Amino acid sequence: MTTVLLTGFEPFAGDATNPSGEAVHLVGERWAGPEDLVTAVLPVTFAGATARMRQLIAEHRPDVVIATGLAGGRTAVTPERVAINLADARIPDNDGAQPLDEPVEASGPAAYFATLPVKAITAAMADAGVPAAVSHSAGTFVCNATMYAALAASDDSTRAGFIHVPWASGSGPADAPSLPLADIVHALEVAVRVALS
């Protein structure tokens, strides 16, 4: 059985919601297979998210890993190309940790490239009517650390990577760009299908 691991995040920084976690939950509810879809909502903590990602990969041995997170301020869904070995937090995570200029993994390489077909996923999202763009930086917060951990824990046969989503309409700051939650859900479904094909 082909297995897909799809993750999002819990709310952070005092926000009431996180569209990545909400969208992942909805994708899971709608999933009709035939592949096995494993979904999880990760804590927004450097230690917790990376440990949970490694645990999920070890437990389920997925063929595809797509982690998702919120990038408030972006106007499109943005598949990421690169995860860097740097944790440099502008704000504390949900545990209060705020690493500065630290590696994600002390003995790890400087960076990993996504093994998802990033450009094909981006094009398919756009073809489906969802604003999408390739991003070359997953930042240096928990999202980047989670992408880095996912790629480090995946073997050569696994397609793995990260997708940032904007705010869902009505859930973010009044002046923030957003997309309907249904569009974010559809974009993630498209990403899974493209990665599988």
Side-chain angles (χ1 to χ4, degrees), residues 80-86 104 109-115 135-152 160-162:
E80 299 292 346
R81 293 192 79 180
V82 184
I84 59 173
N85 194 10
L86 176 64
V104 176
Y112 285 107
F113 283 94
T115 52
S135 171
H136 301 291
S137 173
T140 57
F141 196 54
V142 177
C143 290
N144 172 74
T146 302
M147 179 180 177
Y148 189 96
L151 287 158
F162 196 97

Side-chain angles (χ1 to χ4, degrees), residues 12-15 44 46 70-73 86-94 96-102 138-143 164 167 173:
F12 70 102
D15 297 328
V44 182
F46 283 92
L70 169 65
L86 176 64
D88 193 58
R90 177 181 54 84
I91 59 172
D93 70 13
N94 282 358
Q98 191 173 4
L100 299 173
D101 296 327
E102 296 180 14
T140 57
F141 196 54
V142 177
C143 290
H164 267 120
W167 282 108

Side-chain angles (χ1 to χ4, degrees), residues 42-120:
L42 307 179
V44 182
T45 66
F46 283 92
T50 55
R52 182 71 176 130
M53 178 58 75
R54 291 186 196 98
Q55 177 189 22
L56 287 164
I57 290 171
E59 178 181 350
H60 297 286
R61 304 277 182 202
D63 302 278
V64 171
V65 178
I66 300 177
T68 72
L70 169 65
R74 293 194 185 179
T75 58
V77 179
T78 52
E80 299 292 346
R81 293 192 79 180
V82 184
I84 59 173
N85 194 10
L86 176 64
D88 193 58
R90 177 181 54 84
I91 59 172
D93 70 13
N94 282 358
D95 278 347
Q98 191 173 4
L100 299 173
D101 296 327
E102 296 180 14
V104 176
E105 292 189 5
S107 59
Y112 285 107
F113 283 94
T115 52
L116 292 173
V118 171
K119 288 188 175 180

